[in-house]
């Protein structure tokens, strides 16, 4: 079997590689370079599930980064169990061909309860008093401790939050290098995420992104050089591209204004009352699932949303099936944003009634994705002093709230979830394996499973 490493770098496009990433582009010399035709919604969890299974979201069931669970009457974001992903995984197919086949699945989502041989992902410590600390999860007992002893504590607050930077991807790359040498897996799946996050806060067209790409090119280039020196083939893919956005669309406020979304109030602020609402949205970047609990209002909901500026289309019935999103987890309607717009989860009509989690990093509590968690509220006069005071309270063992997240969605500059408009902004596919005709090629994301198996079992030709 030919060892293969697949590196997923979200937000990396063909144009970025051709202009600013010579080491990544060089990987295709003697190999292949082209576009990866992604699934919808083009967001992390559906992308990773499709890459692993070769299936569409309607088939594997991961229809977004989070969705409404009808049985529990809850929105569940960023669930970690791989048991949510239906279908045969690439390493399971590999083991059928050769019982010696092994897989390292590293920071791919979902990242726990996997059938891979060795797997790990970010996993903060959630203390009983509400505090959160940096940590990670590894499937093998003692391995997380071994990695953090060697490379330092996993940089959680550089991986997500306002401090995000390339050091999180560097930590993952360094530890992946170590795990590859230690485990010698047949297939390695590695995720380097920070370019995605920087584009959300700065926008893909910001001048600073060029330097981020160049730094990532060096980081990934060093990692690739090591894998190649050890006889492995390498494939680099990007699950999606980023759009420059200027228009936040508050779907749940629109639904509330029509009387379809109901809230309840307590000392923590307003919360969506799912059991009493006729309709509500669970947004994921530029795509949202709208759950219409009262069928009688569905035509009116669709008509209303179809008239909203910033919404490109409202999918229903057969349109949802064609989009590859027909599944019990999906909403009765699926809403797609215009290219320069994105969807917030906001449902309160006055910021003084916002729930207490709105101003914090709380990815599991919010009923939708919140990129403002990567931004410090510009209205805080001395943010560094506020954060330092909160950390001092943490050291002393006091309860505290890291409430620095802004409620101004216009601060977000980049988003994703849609198909690209052309080659330049297409998610990239680069492979050291195979031979190119010299033409720019396109590979479907749902073909990647078979492509991985082809390289492993048939070699580079």
């Amino acid at each position: 079997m030919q060892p293969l490493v697949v590196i997923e770098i979200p937000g990396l496009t063909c144009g970025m590689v051709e202009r600013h990433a010579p080491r990544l582009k060089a990987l295709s010399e003697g190999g292949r370079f082209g576009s990866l035709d992604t699934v919808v919604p083009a967001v992390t969890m559906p992308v990773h599930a499709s890459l692993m299974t070769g299936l569409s979201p309607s088939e594997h069931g991961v229809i977004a980064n989070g969705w409404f669970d009808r049985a529990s009457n809850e929105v569940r974001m960023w669930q970690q169990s791989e048991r949510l992903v239906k279908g045969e995984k690439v390493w399971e197919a590999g083991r059928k061909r050769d019982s010696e086949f092994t897989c390292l699945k590293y920071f791919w989502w979902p990242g726990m309860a996997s059938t891979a041989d060795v797997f790990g992902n970010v996993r903060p410590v959630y203390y009983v008093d509400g505090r959160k600390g940096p940590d990670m999860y590894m499937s093998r007992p003692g391995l997380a401790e071994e990695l953090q002893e060697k490379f330092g504590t996993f940089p959680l607050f550089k991986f997500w939050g306002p401090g995000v930077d390339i050091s999180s991807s560097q930590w993952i790359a360094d530890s992946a290098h170590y795990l590859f040498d230690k485990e010698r897996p047949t297939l390695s799946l590695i995720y380097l995420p920070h370019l995605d996050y920087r584009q959300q806060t700065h926008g893909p067209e910001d001048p600073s992104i060029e330097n981020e790409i160049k730094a990532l090119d060096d980081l990934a280039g060093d990692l690739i050089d090591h894998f190649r020196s050890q006889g492995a083939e390498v494939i680099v893919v990007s699950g999606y591209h980023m759009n420059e956005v200027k228009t936040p669309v508050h779907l749940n406020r629109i639904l509330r204004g029509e009387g379809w979304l109901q809230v309840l109030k307590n000392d923590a602020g307003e919360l969506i009352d799912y059991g009493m609402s006729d309709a509500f949205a669970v947004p994921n970047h530029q795509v949202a699932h709208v759950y219409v609990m009262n069928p009688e209002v569905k035509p009116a909901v669709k008509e209303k949303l179809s008239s909203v500026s910033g919404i490109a289309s409202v999918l229903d019935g057969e349109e949802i099936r064609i989009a590859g999103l027909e599944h019990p987890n999906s909403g009765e309607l699926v809403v797609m944003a215009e290219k320069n717009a994105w969807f917030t989860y906001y449902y309160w009509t006055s910021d003084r009634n916002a729930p207490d989690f709105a101003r914090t990093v709380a990815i599991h509590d919010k009923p939708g994705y919140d990129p403002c968690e990567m931004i410090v509220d510009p209205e805080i006069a001395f943010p560094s002093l506020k954060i330092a005071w909160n950390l001092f309270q943490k050291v002393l063992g006091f309860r505290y709230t890291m409430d620095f997240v802004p409620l101004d969605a216009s601060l977000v500059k980049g988003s994703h979830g849609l198909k690209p408009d052309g080659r330049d902004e297409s998610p990239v596919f680069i492979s050291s394996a195979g031979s190119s005709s010299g033409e720019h090629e396109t590979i479907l994301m749902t073909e990647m499973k078979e492509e991985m198996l082809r390289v492993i079992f048939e070699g580079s030709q």
Side-chain angles (χ1 to χ4, degrees):
M1 292 182 290
Q2 169 65 56
L4 172 64
V5 178
V6 178
I7 304 174
E8 204 268 302
I9 305 177
L12 184 69
T13 67
C14 292
M16 289 175 176
V17 170
E18 291 174 323
R19 288 190 294 272
H20 307 305
R23 296 181 70 180
L24 286 172
K25 184 65 166 64
L27 180 64
S28 66
E29 295 176 3
R32 301 163 67 192
F33 179 84
S35 303
L36 189 66
D37 189 352
T38 189
V39 296
V40 174
V43 298
T44 304
M45 288 187 61
V47 160
H48 285 183
S50 289
L51 288 169
M52 290 187 290
T53 64
L55 302 175
S56 69
S58 63
E59 296 169 307
H60 58 60
V62 181
I63 49 86
N65 290 334
W67 54 84
F68 179 68
D69 181 78
R70 290 175 171 84
S72 63
N73 195 48
E74 295 176 338
V75 171
R76 295 182 172 174
M77 299 293 298
W78 295 106
Q79 298 178 83
Q80 278 275 32
S81 174
E82 189 187 275
R83 293 168 187 165
L84 294 166
V85 184
K86 307 305 179 186
E88 180 187 62
K89 317 306 184 290
V90 58
W91 56 87
E92 295 169 347
R95 288 189 198 126
K96 289 181 180 178
R97 300 192 190 185
D98 191 322
S99 61
E100 299 298 313
F101 189 108
T102 59
C103 179
L104 166 66
K105 178 188 173 189
Y106 203 46
F107 282 80
W108 280 41
W109 289 82
M112 297 175 69
S114 176
T115 59
D117 298 274
V118 181
F119 52 93
N121 204 350
V122 56
R123 186 66 175 177
V125 181
Y126 295 101
Y127 296 97
V128 69
D129 64 359
R131 291 178 298 133
K132 179 166 57 180
D135 203 354
M136 65 173 302
Y137 172 85
M138 291 298 298
S139 57
R140 186 174 299 161
L143 190 51
E145 292 83 354
E146 178 182 338
L147 292 175
Q148 293 185 100
E149 181 177 343
K150 186 172 182 62
F151 299 104
T153 301
F154 176 71
L156 174 67
F157 304 115
K158 299 294 185 178
F159 179 85
W160 184 253
V164 65
D165 62 26
I166 199 171
S167 61
S168 59
S169 289
Q170 184 70 64
W171 194 99
I172 295 171
D174 290 343
S175 55
H177 178 300
Y178 175 78
L179 287 170
F180 178 86
D181 291 349
K182 178 183 176 73
E183 301 293 333
R184 294 292 172 177
T186 311
L187 173 64
S188 302
L189 304 173
I190 301 167
Y191 178 55
L192 302 178
H194 104 281
L195 183 63
D196 168 349
Y197 305 150
R198 298 296 286 182
Q199 291 184 79
Q200 290 187 56
T201 55
H202 291 67
E205 299 173 12
D206 189 85
S208 68
I209 299 301
E210 178 178 338
N211 290 331
E212 298 287 352
I213 299 166
K214 291 178 178 178
L216 179 66
D217 188 46
D218 284 336
L219 184 158
D222 290 345
L223 191 60
I224 290 167
D225 286 348
H226 176 71
F227 295 145
R228 297 289 286 143
S229 73
Q230 299 301 305
E233 299 287 2
V234 177
I235 295 176
V236 174
V237 295
S238 174
Y240 46 81
H241 77 291
M242 285 283 169
N243 287 316
E244 193 88 10
V245 295
K246 300 178 180 178
T247 305
V249 179
H250 311 295
L251 294 173
N252 281 321
R253 287 178 176 169
I254 294 168
L255 297 173
R256 181 176 179 177
E258 297 296 320
W260 295 317
L261 183 148
Q262 303 297 320
V263 301
L264 56 87
K265 297 180 181 180
N266 58 29
D267 286 345
E270 292 184 345
L271 302 171
I272 298 176
D273 189 342
Y274 301 111
M276 298 305 293
S277 294
D278 289 333
F280 52 86
V282 179
N284 284 257
H285 300 272
Q286 294 186 292
V287 179
H289 287 267
V290 178
Y291 295 87
V292 185
M293 311 309 288
N294 179 359
E296 294 182 1
V297 305
K298 182 179 175 181
V301 172
K302 182 177 182 179
E303 181 180 7
K304 176 62 181 180
L305 294 179
S306 298
S307 69
V308 173
S309 177
I311 293 178
S313 59
V314 182
L315 308 185
D316 184 11
E318 180 67 7
E319 296 165 321
I320 293 176
R321 187 194 67 79
I322 293 171
L325 286 169
E326 185 181 45
H327 191 273
N329 291 338
S330 294
E332 282 68 28
L333 301 171
V334 175
V335 183
M336 315 288 282
E338 294 179 351
K339 186 173 182 177
N340 68 348
W342 69 281
F343 300 134
T344 77
Y345 77 93
Y346 299 173
Y347 54 84
W348 54 91
T349 56
S350 171
D351 284 351
R352 66 176 177 270
N353 294 325
D356 59 354
F357 56 68
R359 292 183 172 86
T360 70
V361 175
I363 65 170
H364 301 296
D365 295 322
K366 297 176 181 179
Y369 178 74
D370 185 12
C372 285
E373 292 188 348
M374 292 181 287
I375 303 170
V376 174
D377 191 342
E379 294 187 4
I380 299 175
F382 300 100
S384 59
L385 290 178
K386 177 179 174 59
I387 292 173
W389 170 243
N390 285 338
L391 293 175
F392 181 64
Q393 291 175 293
K394 176 180 179 180
V395 170
L396 293 179
F398 296 133
R399 294 178 67 89
Y400 66 98
T401 302
M402 296 290 279
D403 52 348
F404 53 75
V405 174
L407 303 183
D408 180 2
S410 68
L411 296 170
V412 175
K413 304 303 180 185
S415 192
H416 59 97
L418 307 176
K419 295 271 191 176
D421 280 344
R423 167 181 167 171
D424 192 65
E425 64 180 36
S426 292
V428 75
F429 167 79
I430 311 172
S431 177
S432 64
S435 58
S436 173
S437 63
E439 298 293 325
H440 185 93
E441 59 180 305
T442 298
I443 181 170
L444 298 176
M445 182 168 286
T446 51
E447 296 173 341
M448 274 298 301
K449 174 185 172 183
E450 289 304 316
E451 175 64 17
M452 288 185 255
L453 294 171
R454 184 193 67 78
V455 171
I456 291 168
F457 290 103
E458 299 177 22
S460 60
Q461 298 304 315

